[in-house]
Amino acid sequence: MVTRAPALHRAHSTAETESPPTTAETLMAQVALGDENAFAALYDMLAGPILGITTRVLRNRSLAEEVTQEVLLEIWRTATRFSAHRGSVMTWAMTVAHRRAIDRVRSVQAAADRDDRAEQLELRQPYDEVLETTLETLDRERVRRALAGLTDLQRQSIQLAYYRGYSYPEVAELLGTPLSTIKTRMRDGLIRLRDALGVLA
């Protein structure tokens, strides 16, 4: 589950009481300049609505959380491409989330169809065909290389959530780490992944 970063919010609480409410559009402009604090605030603003739409489409909490993180990573990576003339940040984020969720539904269905055909033909593959196919795609390969640049703790938590399908509470239990720490680690890992992927692009 995606949550806010308490430390960041405490650090800005005084400033927020002295300034007008910050809009998603203002934050996006700052994120486009690489402002990590702005991304933390935008993350808090968008994570809940994004998780809501991915959950409605996927009907699977674990998959919805994974897709939500992918959407937030995409927003961080593509912030410079956002144009306010095309609509609000929230509308854009919801569009990206809906598209990603639909793509995942199609991917899951395609995998199920492949499995059905394999069973009908009595094929016995010595490897997980779905995982093999996924890891061969360019985006996944770049992400895997980028993961090598993370700390051990960040890499372990992201690998458990993305590649082994564990939920956040399960990751926290497996690593013996508080759930709040896991959530913060995942968000910080997204920031580092974005920077690494930008270098690899």
Side-chain angles (χ1 to χ4, degrees), residues 163-178:
Y163 295 108
R164 300 186 63 182
Y166 288 105
S167 66
Y168 284 15
E170 290 172 334
V171 172
E173 182 177 354
L174 285 169
L175 296 181
T177 303

Side-chain angles (χ1 to χ4, degrees), residues 26-42:
T26 300
L27 291 172
M28 180 62 77
Q30 295 170 346
V31 171
L33 298 175
D35 188 328
E36 295 182 8
N37 288 333
F39 176 63
L42 188 64

Side-chain angles (χ1 to χ4, degrees), residues 42-57:
L42 188 64
Y43 185 107
D44 289 346
M45 190 179 294
L46 299 180
I50 290 174
L51 182 60
I53 194 170
T54 56
T55 300
R56 285 195 297 274
V57 173

